[in-house]
Amino acid sequence: MHKSSPFVLSVVLASLAALAPFAIDTYLPAFPTLETALQGSPLELQQSLTFYLLPYALMTLWHGAISDSIGRITTIKWGLGVFVLASIGCAFAPNIETLWFFRVLQGLSGGAGNVVARAMVRDLFEGPQAQRVMATVQMLFGIAPAVAPIIGGLLLGIHWQAIFIFLALYAAVSLWAAMRYLPETMPKEKRLPLSAKQVMKDYRIIFGDKEFNYVVFALGANFAGFFIYVLASPVFLVKQLGLSEHQFGYMFIPTVCGMVLGSYLAKRAAGRYSRQLVVKAAFAWMAAIVILNLLVCFMLPAHPKYNILPIALFNIGMALAMPVLSLAALDRHPKIRGTAASGQAFIQMFLSTVSAGLIVPLVWYAPSGLALAMAGYLVFAWLSIRKSKLWAGK
């Protein structure tokens, strides 16, 4: 069915999925520099995150349906092509308002790769192999928010504009790789007509499915439990833990290691253990780490070693559960898998947008506030998944 090896396909799909979090996090270390360069306030720069996240979340609802209609590869071409131009626009923005405009364009286009990549994993692979490939894709999707600020800190040494040029180049290379190595997995005879009425009808089916909702909200909440630390990193790392803007790696390298280990375990578990057992083990692990994190934050003074290790350990459980939850959601609606992938990505990004706009500013007063938010997200995820057939082993 496809000439490229599963490994090459996994890497290309993962690079597409990673573009969206790269666009969120690579410029975080440049916030103080951008305030001066673009004459914006800290709040106006924080809003540049919202100007990306909100259009991203809304457009995510359409990328999958568009790919079900015009094909997966054509959707990737349009999405990444616009993203390259928007990134160049960000690099040469003379003021904060121009940056906002091009961040909106990045948000509208940046989700195409992530959504289509998820749908293509399930188009191309079956059973345990699908779980292993999804583990690779989810691992790189999860690693991207951790690696991005490190790259951003290094590029800041050249110039803040280098960060957005890097994003344009990354998108261009990912687009080339997709066109070179990925097959079209939505043949013309299977394509569905694109109409707002049909899309709304499909979403009523998807979000009217309780099992789908249980699984995607659990997946999204687990990710948000980690992602609040990424969004709060300029305050958490610099103001609370006393690190410099070039020391973001102190948090992000351990969290990447946790993600890689969890994804490796997910690959090893595929086909050996039941999905129910993998998910329950992941939640038991995350619960233990959340309790450890709360104890550390309330009983010990703030210190990079104490406060960063629990985040890395939490990511092991999150990455272990991710591929199983993602595939369980996609398998609910095989005929409209692109739309199901959109729905899944939307919920994940919606929870991240809520975190960025509402929750993080409320809880970043101290490490203990962030630990309580992580605990709250895990409880929400557990309450969601425990009602599912997946949890019951059906």
Side-chain angles (χ1 to χ4, degrees):
M1 185 182 176
H2 42 85
K3 295 173 186 175
S4 304
S5 70
F7 176 74
V8 170
L9 291 168
S10 300
V11 171
V12 176
L13 291 168
S15 73
L16 292 171
L19 176 64
F22 263 121
I24 297 168
D25 304 320
T26 314
Y27 82 132
L28 289 177
F31 270 31
T33 309
L34 284 166
E35 284 171 32
T36 308
L38 303 181
Q39 298 174 325
S41 69
L43 183 61
E44 284 174 330
L45 266 174
Q46 179 71 17
Q47 291 307 321
S48 71
L49 271 173
T50 310
F51 276 112
Y52 173 85
L53 286 166
L54 197 57
Y56 179 100
L58 294 172
M59 194 61 197
T60 293
L61 289 170
W62 290 89
H63 289 309
I66 291 167
S67 79
D68 283 342
S69 177
I70 66 172
R72 310 287 194 228
I73 303 299
T74 308
T75 306
I76 290 170
K77 282 182 190 174
W78 276 101
L80 271 65
V82 171
F83 186 91
V84 169
L85 296 174
S87 300
I88 294 167
C90 288
F92 295 100
N95 52 46
I96 195 76
E97 291 80 13
T98 310
L99 180 70
W100 285 348
F101 172 78
F102 284 111
R103 288 292 283 169
V104 168
L105 268 188
Q106 278 188 322
L108 290 171
S109 58
N114 179 22
V115 171
V116 176
R118 290 180 200 226
M120 288 183 82
V121 169
R122 205 59 196 82
D123 291 342
L124 289 165
F125 302 103
E126 298 287 335
Q129 193 180 26
Q131 196 171 318
R132 283 190 284 270
V133 174
M134 187 63 86
T136 304
V137 172
Q138 297 283 17
M139 174 175 69
L140 281 165
F141 179 78
I143 286 172
V147 175
I150 302 171
I151 295 170
L154 293 171
L155 292 170
L156 190 57
I158 303 169
H159 196 277
W160 68 264
Q161 290 174 313
I163 293 170
F164 292 106
I165 298 296
F166 162 76
L167 289 174
L169 289 171
Y170 179 94
V173 171
S174 297
L175 175 55
W176 170 82
M179 291 166 64
R180 173 81 173 74
Y181 295 108
L182 296 181
E184 177 54 73
T185 60
M186 180 52 75
K188 288 185 179 177
E189 63 272 15
K190 285 189 177 180
R191 291 179 191 177
L192 305 168
L194 182 66
S195 72
K197 189 177 178 183
Q198 185 60 45
V199 171
M200 293 304 132
K201 185 182 172 187
D202 289 344
Y203 277 120
R204 274 200 295 274
I205 293 168
I206 287 169
F207 289 120
D209 176 4
K210 286 184 180 177
E211 183 70 14
F212 180 86
N213 288 332
Y214 293 150
V215 173
V216 294
F217 274 101
L219 186 149
N222 284 345
F223 184 76
F226 154 66
F227 201 57
I228 50 167
Y229 282 93
V230 176
L231 293 167
S233 58
V235 170
F236 175 62
L237 296 178
V238 179
K239 294 184 180 174
Q240 293 171 2
L241 302 186
L243 301 175
S244 78
E245 61 197 37
H246 298 292
Q247 291 177 311
F248 271 51
Y250 281 50
M251 173 173 118
F252 291 108
I253 290 169
T255 55
V256 166
C257 292
M259 202 92 67
V260 170
L261 179 55
S263 296
Y264 171 76
L265 294 173
K267 281 184 173 184
R268 298 283 295 170
R272 295 186 183 194
Y273 303 102
S274 70
R275 298 185 310 164
Q276 179 197 24
L277 182 62
V278 171
V279 170
K280 287 190 173 181
F283 270 85
W285 174 264
M286 287 186 287
I289 300 308
V290 158
I291 292 165
L292 171 69
N293 195 21
L294 289 167
L295 290 172
V296 164
C297 290
F298 282 101
M299 298 180 75
L300 295 173
H303 190 279
K305 280 183 190 172
Y306 310 145
N307 292 107
I308 289 170
L309 182 62
I311 311 166
L313 293 173
F314 178 87
N315 279 359
I316 296 172
M318 182 196 74
L320 176 60
M322 246 188 176
V324 178
L325 296 174
S326 188
L327 288 170
L330 291 175
D331 286 348
R332 295 292 300 169
H333 303 280
K335 288 185 180 176
I336 45 171
R337 195 172 284 138
T339 309
S342 272
Q344 181 182 317
F346 170 75
I347 295 300
Q348 195 166 336
M349 196 49 70
F350 172 73
L351 290 174
S352 298
T353 308
V354 169
S355 292
L358 298 175
I359 293 172
V360 169
L362 289 175
V363 299
W364 65 7
Y365 59 86
S368 56
L370 292 166
L372 286 167
M374 177 188 263
Y377 270 126
L378 183 65
V379 169
F380 176 71
W382 178 74
L383 289 173
S384 182
I385 198 65
R386 67 188 286 268
K387 297 176 185 175
S388 71
K389 292 175 183 175
L390 179 64
W391 189 264
K394 292 178 185 174

